[in-house]
Amino acid sequence: MKYLNSIIFLFLIFFLSCQKSNEPLKKDKIYNVNITYIEDDGIIGFEPSDFIDIFDDDLSRLTYDILGYNIKYHLKNGISDDKFYQDNRKIMIENSDIFKKYFIDIKNIDYEQLEKDILYSLSNETSLSIKKLFGYEYGTPLKTIAENIAPSYAQSILNVWNSPVKNRRELLIGNRLFIFTSLYWRIMANEFKDSSIVIVNMPLTSNYRGMTAKSIADGGFVDRIVAENYNIKPCKSISIISTYQLLNSNIDNETRKKIFSYYIVQSIAMMFPKYDIHSEEKHSIMSELNRFDYVNWYNNIVNFQLKEPYKRIKKYHDTIKIKYIKNSIY
């Protein structure tokens, strides 16, 4: 009997260890979600009091009302971008080959190569997606679209990189500004051990080979990365969220906080019940945010009866092969 119990125990350990990171978690438990905030003090960010307002019991209730999950939010710690960068330089050095392979150097742009990189990304999307994202007629050659998009894509990123801000410390390797790139944070995502949500106030530029068509349509930016992270139990995933686009929108602060609360709920939905973002139903917590139009996205959720999420994440996927991250989306 004792031997049988040992076999059963080992089987359970093996079974639990083999569970996929994209399997929905149970609704009859209370889950703790830790939040880490990383701030560039030269860029507008939420105040500490704002975070206290956002991650309170009301957010737990909102999460339960929409998703049916009991989530307790905990503000774990805050750290400067400079300290985070310095603490993790070794990781960046170990992954320097990733940047050599995937990084698109917007400061020293080769437009012909950029057009090829954009063309590669567009070719991974359906014709319907291209039409929705960019408004081109069905049948427009992808090469033409790539040529038209490349200049504005590069300029959009440069406008943010070159914008004057207080005490700008360009954290560079060589002459590349890496900490503002989503590629940097994709590598860093697996370095966190117990924070399910990491908030940064920096812009996340999507200047890497294999970027999504949506990030190109959004001016070369993303405001969220969701990635596998097996260190973080039980969701085995992490969400890195940029507040840059939201805080630079013409929205009053109280409305911003409400919008951000719903955006957090959407992020949790990708990590716990494992719902996927979609553009088919705009009156859903999983509706896609287009061109960072937070107000319209928010109004379509709070002013209408919410539709049930219906798509599940099949896997966290990416085109980038990073040593420290198995898969990621967005």
Side-chain angles (χ1 to χ4, degrees):
M1 185 67 179
K2 190 174 182 181
Y3 176 76
L4 179 61
N5 287 338
S6 298
I7 293 294
I8 293 172
F9 176 75
L10 289 172
F11 174 78
L12 286 172
I13 293 294
F14 175 77
F15 174 77
L16 290 172
S17 66
C18 290
Q19 282 187 301
K20 295 179 180 179
S21 64
N22 60 329
E23 289 182 350
L25 299 174
K26 297 181 183 298
K27 285 191 174 184
D28 57 353
K29 291 188 176 183
I30 296 176
Y31 295 106
N32 293 300
V33 166
N34 289 335
I35 297 104
T36 290
Y37 178 47
I38 301 171
E39 182 182 48
D40 181 330
D41 64 7
I43 299 175
I44 186 172
F46 278 123
E47 297 293 330
S49 58
D50 293 329
F51 282 118
I52 293 171
D53 288 345
I54 293 166
F55 293 103
D56 60 9
D57 290 340
D58 288 342
L59 182 56
S60 293
R61 275 193 295 273
L62 183 66
T63 307
Y64 183 80
D65 290 343
I66 294 177
L67 302 177
Y69 279 71
N70 283 300
I71 303 291
K72 298 296 181 185
Y73 296 94
H74 306 279
L75 294 167
K76 182 174 174 284
N77 63 347
I79 184 172
S80 72
D81 62 327
D82 187 47
K83 184 174 189 326
F84 183 85
Y85 180 83
Q86 296 302 330
D87 288 349
N88 291 282
R89 287 193 68 184
K90 182 180 177 183
I91 306 302
M92 295 308 300
I93 293 169
E94 290 172 346
N95 282 277
S96 60
D97 58 319
I98 299 297
F99 277 93
K100 289 177 182 176
K101 183 175 182 180
Y102 292 102
F103 186 79
I104 299 173
D105 190 353
I106 299 296
K107 285 193 169 184
N108 300 286
I109 195 65
D110 176 343
Y111 274 102
E112 186 176 341
Q113 183 58 51
L114 177 59
E115 288 167 11
K116 291 178 181 177
D117 293 331
I118 291 175
L119 180 61
Y120 173 78
S121 293
L122 297 184
S123 65
N124 293 327
E125 301 287 333
T126 65
S127 298
L128 182 61
S129 294
I130 298 298
K131 188 176 185 301
K132 279 185 178 179
L133 288 168
F134 300 101
Y136 282 89
E137 291 298 321
Y138 178 80
T140 304
L142 291 183
K143 188 174 186 301
T144 300
I145 299 175
E147 290 172 351
N148 292 342
I149 291 170
S152 59
Y153 168 88
Q155 191 58 52
S156 175
I157 294 174
L158 284 174
N159 286 344
V160 171
W161 281 5
N162 296 331
S163 61
V165 293
K166 178 186 70 173
N167 301 325
R168 166 57 58 81
R169 298 180 306 277
E170 289 195 346
L171 305 175
L172 307 176
I173 298 176
N175 67 346
R176 294 174 174 176
L177 195 154
F178 279 176
I179 201 168
F180 280 10
T181 70
S182 60
L183 183 53
Y184 175 91
W185 291 100
R186 288 174 188 277
I187 292 172
M188 287 301 142
N190 216 43
E191 293 307 301
F192 295 90
K193 306 302 180 186
D194 62 353
S195 287
S196 304
I197 294 176
V198 176
I199 298 170
V200 303
N201 69 329
M202 293 158 279
L204 302 185
T205 59
S206 183
N207 51 307
Y208 63 91
R209 292 178 178 88
M211 64 278 197
T212 65
K214 184 179 186 303
S215 68
I216 299 170
D218 287 343
F221 296 90
V222 298
D223 61 352
R224 176 175 54 206
I225 298 164
V226 180
E228 282 184 348
N229 183 324
Y230 279 81
N231 296 316
I232 300 172
K233 302 297 190 311
C235 65
K236 300 178 187 174
S237 57
I238 185 169
S239 184
I240 296 175
I241 301 172
S242 166
T243 63
Y244 184 85
Q245 304 291 345
L246 176 61
L247 291 176
N248 280 279
S249 302
N250 187 25
I251 308 170
D252 69 88
N253 198 46
E254 287 306 309
T255 303
R256 275 200 196 103
K257 289 189 286 186
K258 291 175 183 175
I259 291 172
F260 195 63
S261 294
Y262 278 84
Y263 199 65
I264 292 295
V265 173
Q266 187 185 75
S267 301
I268 290 294
M270 298 173 74
M271 299 160 67
F272 283 79
K274 311 296 181 180
Y275 291 130
D276 205 353
I277 303 295
H278 59 80
S279 58
E280 289 84 354
E281 176 53 72
K282 61 184 178 180
H283 305 309
S284 164
I285 190 62
M286 302 315 296
S287 62
E288 195 163 60
L289 174 68
N290 290 313
R291 308 292 173 98
F292 304 115
D293 185 355
Y294 289 96
V295 172
N296 189 50
W297 175 81
Y298 172 72
N299 286 336
N300 278 322
I301 290 174
V302 298
N303 293 327
F304 297 86
Q305 183 176 350
L306 275 186
K307 304 288 186 180
E308 287 290 324
Y310 64 92
K311 285 188 174 181
R312 296 244 181 227
I313 294 172
K314 294 180 180 178
K315 67 174 182 175
Y316 295 116
H317 58 87
D318 202 348
T319 56
I320 304 173
K321 307 302 179 186
I322 297 177
K323 298 172 188 174
Y324 291 88
I325 299 179
K326 288 193 173 184
N327 297 294
S328 63
I329 62 177
Y330 273 36

